[in-house]
């Protein structure tokens, strides 16, 4: 049953969500009960498991910690019991009968208190023996050695986020909100998740080379523009940061790489390129074109996204990258000298005419139109 604000103040820490109540009382009681209902005098054999369907009602069990004497300030070990919804409601029925009788007494006067309520209270008091001592705790179950198969990191994060969204403001009861918060914390502990892992996301773009090249140069500007960090790892450029930064970064990287490859193919059909007779000079002209186009694209990305750049979010992404890849190393390449100025001029012009906001019409799903990413502050 819902707990009033006045009664919550009697709990340790002043709330059922306080760290003192959860760690010092609720957690140990659930551990004593083996995460199962401990039963009451009305239903002594109930052992419904938390988070599983109730063996009789079929509804999902949400264990709560009940004060057997209805006094939230009495947190003695023998006065607390882990109960499912059904057992908790049955145990509280006596208290509800008393409260209803008291309400009628105050509303109508002592002379009009109905006989049925008096008889019900008297019968309940006579039939209800004192609470039994708690049963000895069952032997602890062995800790799971591995995560549940088939539960990916993304599905796990989504499950935790859904549990955290179950609050009283969202329409849940106090008991449901408390149990959901407890289950979310347990999932994080079981799977070794931190707060950063819940908010940080990743997106990758395939990269065949294991060395720095013009695509890694381009990825550095893309990461700056989208408030993310990037690393070349295991055949992919991986962008890390707060959503939607990594997704936009991977899309923008693909957009720019395809534009460079398309324009370079067109340049290799031009008269300037064909005028080069040797394969070495043709390769040099193609490289000059590519370097100039990438350089211009980097400049345009910085100009386009400067109003949305968030230094704090970028620093946060870099810290997370350092945590995820502690053995990383810098990926740089030496500068090369320009040989064909005209090829560079063609590359600069190609970078100027490349659109940075179209949608992709390929089999890879991406936003139809690229918008500047939300800053880290707004994303929070």
């Amino acid at each position: 049953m819902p707990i009033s604000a006045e009664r919550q103040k009697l709990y340790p820490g002043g709330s059922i969500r306080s760290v003192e109540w959860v760690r010092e009382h609720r957690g140990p009681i659930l551990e004593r009960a083996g995460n199962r209902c401990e039963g009451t005098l009305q239903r002594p054999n109930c052992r419904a498991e938390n988070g599983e369907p109730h063996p009789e009602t079929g509804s999902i069990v949400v264990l709560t910690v009940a004060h057997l004497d209805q006094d939230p300030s009495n947190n003695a070990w023998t006065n607390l019991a882990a109960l499912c919804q059904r057992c908790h409601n049955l145990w509280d029925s006596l208290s509800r009968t008393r409260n209803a009788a008291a309400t009628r007494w105050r509303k109508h006067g002592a002379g009009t208190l109905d006989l049925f309520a008096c008889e019900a209270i008297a019968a309940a008091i006579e039939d209800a023996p004192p609470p039994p001592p708690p049963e000895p705790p069952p032997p602890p179950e062995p800790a799971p050695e591995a995560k549940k198969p088939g539960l990916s990191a993304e599905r796990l994060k989504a499950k935790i986020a859904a549990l955290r969204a179950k609050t009283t403001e969202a329409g849940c009861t106090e008991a449901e909100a408390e149990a959901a918060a407890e289950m979310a914390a347990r999932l994080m502990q079981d799977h070794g998740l931190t707060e950063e892992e819940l908010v940080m996301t990743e997106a990758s773009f395939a990269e065949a080379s294991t060395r720095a090249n013009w695509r890694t140069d381009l990825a550095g500007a893309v990461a700056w523009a989208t408030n993310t960090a990037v690393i070349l790892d295991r055949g992919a450029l991986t962008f890390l940061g707060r959503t939607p930064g990594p997704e936009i970064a991977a899309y923008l990287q693909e957009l720019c790489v395809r534009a460079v490859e398309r324009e370079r193919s067109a340049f290799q059909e031009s008269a300037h390129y064909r005028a080069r007779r040797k394969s070495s000079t043709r390769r040099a002209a193609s490289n000059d074109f590519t370097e100039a186009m990438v350089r211009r694209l980097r400049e345009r990305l910085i100009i386009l996204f400067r109003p949305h750049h968030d230094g704090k979010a970028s620093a946060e992404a870099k810290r997370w990258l350092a945590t995820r890849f502690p053995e990383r190393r810098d990926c740089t390449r030496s500068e090369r000298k320009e040989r064909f100025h005209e090829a560079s001029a063609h590359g600069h012009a190609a970078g100027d005419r490349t659109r940075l906001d179209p949608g992709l019409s390929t089999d890879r799903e991406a936003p139809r139109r690229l918008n500047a990413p939300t800053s880290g502050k707004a994303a929070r």
Side-chain angles (χ1 to χ4, degrees):
M1 56 187 294
I3 304 173
S4 65
E6 291 75 10
R7 289 177 62 83
Q8 282 206 47
K9 294 178 181 178
L10 300 176
Y11 280 73
S15 170
I16 62 172
R17 293 179 177 276
S18 68
V19 175
E20 183 179 352
W21 165 250
V22 173
R23 289 184 179 177
E24 298 182 10
H25 300 284
R26 174 178 169 79
I29 292 299
L30 293 182
E31 184 178 357
R32 180 191 73 187
N35 211 30
R36 293 176 178 271
C37 178
E38 293 183 295
T40 62
L41 292 175
Q42 299 99 321
R43 301 182 57 79
N45 298 321
C46 182
R47 292 296 180 269
E49 184 176 358
N50 192 25
E52 301 295 332
H54 195 284
E56 297 184 18
T57 65
S59 60
I60 299 299
V61 174
V62 179
L63 284 186
T64 56
V65 175
H67 291 82
L68 298 178
D69 66 351
Q70 309 298 328
D71 181 5
S73 63
N74 181 8
N75 297 296
W77 185 259
T78 56
N79 190 48
L80 299 177
L83 301 179
C84 65
Q85 302 99 306
R86 188 174 187 183
C87 289
H88 202 158
N89 283 330
L90 286 174
W91 186 257
D92 286 349
S93 60
L94 174 59
S95 175
R96 287 196 294 269
T97 303
R98 289 172 175 169
N99 291 340
T103 299
R104 285 192 292 269
W105 181 282
R106 290 192 301 268
K107 184 175 179 180
H108 301 292
T112 59
L113 181 63
D114 60 272
L115 180 61
F116 176 80
C118 294
E119 293 176 347
I121 294 174
I125 294 174
E126 291 176 359
D127 295 338
E135 297 180 1
E141 298 181 1
E145 297 181 357
K147 299 179 182 179
K148 293 182 178 180
L151 191 62
S152 66
E154 292 304 318
R155 288 185 60 192
L156 179 61
K157 291 180 182 179
K159 185 174 182 179
I160 293 174
L163 287 170
R164 286 185 160 189
K166 292 183 178 181
T167 62
T168 53
E169 292 80 4
C172 298
T173 65
E174 290 287 349
E176 291 171 340
E178 180 184 352
E182 182 76 14
M183 292 178 69
R186 188 167 64 251
L187 280 174
M188 290 179 63
Q189 183 178 5
D190 291 346
H191 292 268
L193 287 177
T194 64
E195 289 291 336
E196 280 188 324
E197 288 178 287
L198 293 180
V199 298
M200 290 295 178
T201 58
E202 299 179 8
S204 298
F205 176 78
E207 173 54 56
S209 176
T210 58
R211 296 183 178 182
N213 53 64
W214 62 267
R215 291 179 296 276
T216 58
D217 289 348
L218 193 57
V222 169
W224 184 93
T226 54
N227 301 319
T228 60
V230 63
I231 188 170
L232 176 60
D233 179 64
R234 299 178 183 179
L237 285 165
T238 300
F239 296 90
L240 305 90
R242 286 181 176 265
T243 188
E247 181 184 358
I248 294 177
Y251 164 64
L252 191 56
Q253 178 76 8
E254 179 176 356
L255 184 72
C256 292
V257 168
R258 290 190 177 186
V260 172
E261 293 173 344
R262 182 176 61 251
E263 292 289 349
R264 184 174 57 185
S265 296
F267 170 73
Q268 291 172 351
E269 298 295 328
S270 68
H272 175 79
Y273 179 82
R274 292 182 178 277
R276 314 273 81 76
R277 298 301 181 184
K278 296 182 179 180
S279 60
S280 59
T281 55
R282 285 191 172 188
R283 183 166 57 251
S286 180
N287 288 339
D288 286 341
F289 174 91
T290 302
E291 295 291 338
M293 183 174 179
V294 169
R295 190 161 52 246
R296 181 53 182 158
L297 287 175
R298 285 165 56 91
E299 294 171 353
R300 290 185 59 201
L301 285 171
I302 293 174
I303 294 172
L304 175 64
F305 286 86
R306 180 178 286 124
H308 307 278
H309 180 68
D310 186 341
K312 185 176 180 180
S314 294
E316 185 182 37
K318 291 177 181 178
R319 287 195 300 271
W320 177 238
L321 185 146
T323 302
R324 284 274 288 108
F325 302 94
E327 299 179 359
R328 71 196 184 287
R329 57 184 178 85
D330 291 336
C331 184
T332 58
R333 62 188 184 122
S334 58
E335 295 184 6
R336 56 179 302 276
K337 293 183 179 180
E338 179 186 73
R339 289 189 60 182
F340 299 101
H341 177 72
E342 186 177 350
S344 296
H346 281 289
H348 188 279
D352 259 339
R353 64 174 173 263
T354 298
R355 292 186 59 193
L356 294 178
D357 63 345
L360 294 179
S361 57
T362 66
D363 54 349
R364 179 185 181 276
E365 291 188 8
R368 282 187 170 274
R369 187 173 181 83
L370 178 66
N371 297 317
T374 304
S375 69
K377 295 178 181 178
R380 291 185 184 90

